[in-house]
């Protein structure tokens, strides 16, 4: 007979007890249904399944993608199913993580074509970042560092897991990791639910560490699910995307773009969404008091992912220091939204933000379908941008020429 520990039993009570729709006896609902109200119990909305197999370039309709005049998009590489966030080493090699496949890829460009290999697999939703010649890989339950991997493909990993003290629950605990201007490693830890009182304070926060895992500091709380951030090129402040909760209707709440102006700011979860909307299920008095307001509302359920401040010289001057954001696209919405890359232009203080479409064409509005899901963005040395497509396992290159 299956035995459930007291801790696991308590967590199940927290999450299942806060779901309004009851599953059939003996069959707990999937995690993505948690928080669904009884009025939506017959909804057919469900997460978009990933493809997770290689898609040849000949089957990618890149000609459907639209950009502003002067910009060009082309297929840069294929054959990396489920590819997400990318990081480039000093040699030019690119490393990227995945979610459901548990793989880490290395992509090499010989000047004419790109090839890839799997560095490590069978991990739990790994993310990666390169720093000073070392590849850092962080999964939900493991942290590895591969020293000198660009020149030594057989580099053995150094296991740093114990030092980082990772919380165990998986839901929304997938990572995006990046080193900041201060040399520290920044890591988000999402809420282990759609909507709930947190089982412990180690979730729904962003932390930073020394590269060896020491010196952990919580810098932001109330962050439901951030899987993308960058540091402003002028102020060096952290700006991050954040996913709003599900099952509050097609148009509420918005995903957000946020700015951390000082350590310790709170961004509202689980009581307040997008800085202004009280949660209907998890309540407290004056839920939005003291909550930091977002820089911009990124669309309801749009799945804002990677953000890249543009500091290159290839694009026109109007794009300098603007934030490019990939919106992977909605599932908890009747009419699909996102599936694009947008540009956010705002003051250095985050005020007067304006969002404009940049790369569109991944979805068919008339049919309410999609074929690709842009996830992350990487700026190259020549000023071009690479955009990963998690659905098709491809990378697109965006360039500009007058």
């Amino acid at each position: 007979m299956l035995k459930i520990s007291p801790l696991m039993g308590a967590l199940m009570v927290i999450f299942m007890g806060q779901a309004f729709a009851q599953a059939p006896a003996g069959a707990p609902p999937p995690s993505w249904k948690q928080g669904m109200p009884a009025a939506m119990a017959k909804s057919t909305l469900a997460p978009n399944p990933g493809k997770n197999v290689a898609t040849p370039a000949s089957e990618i309709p890149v000609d459907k993608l639209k950009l502003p005049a002067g910009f060009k998009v082309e297929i840069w590489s294929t054959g990396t199913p489920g590819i997400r966030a990318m990081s480039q080493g000093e040699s030019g090699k690119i490393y990227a993580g995945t979610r459901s496949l548990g793989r880490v890829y290395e992509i090499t460009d010989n000047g004419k074509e790109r090839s890839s290999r799997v560095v490590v697999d069978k991990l739990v939703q790994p993310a990666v970042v390169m720093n000073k010649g070392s590849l850092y890989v962080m999964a939900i339950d493991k942290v590895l560092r591969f020293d000198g991997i660009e020149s030594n493909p057989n580099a053995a990993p150094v296991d740093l897991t114990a030092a980082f003290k990772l919380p165990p629950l998986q839901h929304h605990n997938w990572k995006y990791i990046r080193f900041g201007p201060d040399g520290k490693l920044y890591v988000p830890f999402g809420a282990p639910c759609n909507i709930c009182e947190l089982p412990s304070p180690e979730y729904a926060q962003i932390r930073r560490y020394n590269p060896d895992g020491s010196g952990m500091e919580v810098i932001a709380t109330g962050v439901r699910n951030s899987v993308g951030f960058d540091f402003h090129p002028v102020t060096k402040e952290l700006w991050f995307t954040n996913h709003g909760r599900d099952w509050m209707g097609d148009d509420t709440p918005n995903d957000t773009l946020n700015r951390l102006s000082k350590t310790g700011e709170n961004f509202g979860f689980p009581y307040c969404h997008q800085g202004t909307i009280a949660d209907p299920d998890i309540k407290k008095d004056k839920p939005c008091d003291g909550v930091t307001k977002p820089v911009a509302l990124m669309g309801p359920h749009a799945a804002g992912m990677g953000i890249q401040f543009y500091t290159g010289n290839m694009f026109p001057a109007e794009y300098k220091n603007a934030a490019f954001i990939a919106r992977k696209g909605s599932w908890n919405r009747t009419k699909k939204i996102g599936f694009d890359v947008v540009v956010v232009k705002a003051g250095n203080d985050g005020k007067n933000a304006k969002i404009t479409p940049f790369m569109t064409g991944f979805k068919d509005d008339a049919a309410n379908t999609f074929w690709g899901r842009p996830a992350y963005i990487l700026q190259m040395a020549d000023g071009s941008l690479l955009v990963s497509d998690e659905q098709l396992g491809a990378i697109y290159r965006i360039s500009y020429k007058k």
Side-chain angles (χ1 to χ4, degrees):
M1 179 182 293
L2 177 64
K3 294 183 178 181
I4 299 175
S5 69
L7 173 60
M8 184 58 68
L11 292 173
M12 289 174 66
V13 169
I14 289 172
F15 301 145
M16 295 175 62
Q18 289 169 352
F20 281 74
Q22 298 299 313
S31 60
W32 53 267
K33 279 195 172 184
Q34 188 268 326
M36 175 193 281
M40 301 182 74
K42 294 183 179 180
S43 172
T44 59
L45 296 174
N48 302 308
K51 188 176 180 183
N52 288 336
V53 295
T55 302
S58 60
E59 296 180 12
I60 299 176
V62 68
D63 59 310
K64 292 184 177 181
L65 297 177
K66 307 299 181 185
L67 296 102
F71 287 92
K72 173 186 176 182
V73 60
E74 58 192 320
I75 298 172
W76 190 78
S77 73
T78 59
T80 47
I83 188 169
R84 283 169 69 97
M86 305 165 285
S87 186
Q88 189 172 32
E90 296 173 0
S91 71
K93 291 181 178 180
I94 289 174
Y95 296 86
T98 58
R99 185 175 156 191
S100 59
L101 291 177
R103 297 175 187 167
V104 171
Y105 296 114
E106 177 187 81
I107 303 168
T108 302
D109 182 3
N110 66 10
K112 295 182 180 179
E113 58 186 4
R114 270 62 62 190
S115 60
S116 64
R117 72 178 183 99
V118 175
V119 174
V120 61
D121 64 359
K122 300 179 181 178
L123 298 177
V124 184
Q125 305 178 17
V128 305
V129 66
M130 286 294 294
N131 184 59
K132 298 180 179 178
S134 294
L135 173 67
Y136 289 74
V137 177
M138 184 173 288
I140 288 177
D141 58 353
K142 192 176 291 293
V143 184
L144 304 174
R145 190 187 72 222
F146 294 81
D147 297 329
I149 193 169
E150 292 177 272
S151 58
N152 178 14
N154 298 314
V158 177
D159 194 327
L160 303 174
T161 306
F164 280 84
K165 298 178 174 61
L166 304 174
L169 299 179
Q170 288 196 19
H171 193 53
H172 290 156
N173 206 5
W174 44 78
K175 301 286 183 286
Y176 173 80
I177 57 177
R178 194 164 189 158
F179 278 89
D182 54 5
K184 293 182 180 290
L185 181 60
Y186 287 69
V187 187
F189 293 86
C193 56
N194 169 40
I195 183 66
C196 63
E197 293 275 9
L198 298 178
S200 64
E202 60 194 334
Y203 298 98
Q205 60 181 225
I206 299 176
R207 307 178 188 174
R208 62 183 170 198
Y209 298 83
N210 294 323
D212 63 0
S214 65
M216 187 276 283
E217 181 183 9
V218 177
I219 60 170
T221 59
V223 181
R224 179 181 178 272
N225 183 26
S226 177
V227 283
F229 45 79
D230 196 5
F231 297 87
H232 193 280
V234 176
T235 67
K236 311 304 179 186
E237 292 173 335
L238 179 73
W239 291 43
F240 62 93
T241 58
N242 189 28
H243 294 186
R245 68 158 288 185
D246 299 317
W247 303 118
M248 276 181 63
D250 276 4
D251 299 320
T252 307
N254 275 263
D255 289 356
T256 54
L257 172 63
N258 306 275
R259 163 181 167 258
L260 184 71
S261 63
K262 61 183 179 182
T263 299
E265 287 183 301
N266 181 273
F267 292 86
F269 185 87
Y271 310 105
C272 177
H273 306 289
Q274 68 181 57
T276 57
I277 298 176
D279 191 86
D281 305 328
I282 309 299
K283 300 178 181 180
K284 76 171 187 177
D285 188 43
K286 298 180 180 179
C288 295
D289 280 9
V291 170
T292 300
K293 302 296 189 292
V295 170
L297 303 180
M298 299 303 298
H301 313 296
M305 302 287 287
I307 170 176
Q308 176 70 57
F309 283 109
Y310 188 75
T311 59
N313 296 315
M314 178 186 286
F315 292 5
E318 65 188 273
Y319 292 96
K320 200 76 166 186
N321 297 340
F324 286 80
I325 298 177
R327 301 193 305 172
K328 199 172 75 164
S330 63
W331 68 264
N332 195 235
R333 193 172 194 271
T334 307
K335 183 69 173 178
K336 295 189 185 300
I337 188 175
F339 304 93
D340 57 13
V341 175
V342 299
V343 175
V344 179
K345 298 177 182 178
N348 294 344
D349 58 1
K351 295 181 179 179
N352 302 314
K354 180 181 179 182
I355 304 171
T356 56
F358 182 73
M359 182 164 70
T360 61
F362 287 101
K363 67 180 170 71
D364 183 330
D365 288 327
N368 202 30
T369 58
F370 69 92
W371 57 265
R373 304 192 77 184
Y376 288 90
I377 304 167
L378 178 67
Q379 182 179 302
M380 301 294 278
D382 65 356
S384 63
L385 293 181
L386 298 185
V387 178
S388 63
D389 182 339
E390 185 176 2
Q391 188 73 11
L392 299 186
I395 299 175
Y396 310 109
R397 178 177 181 267
I398 299 173
S399 58
Y400 178 82
K401 188 176 182 180
K402 293 182 180 180

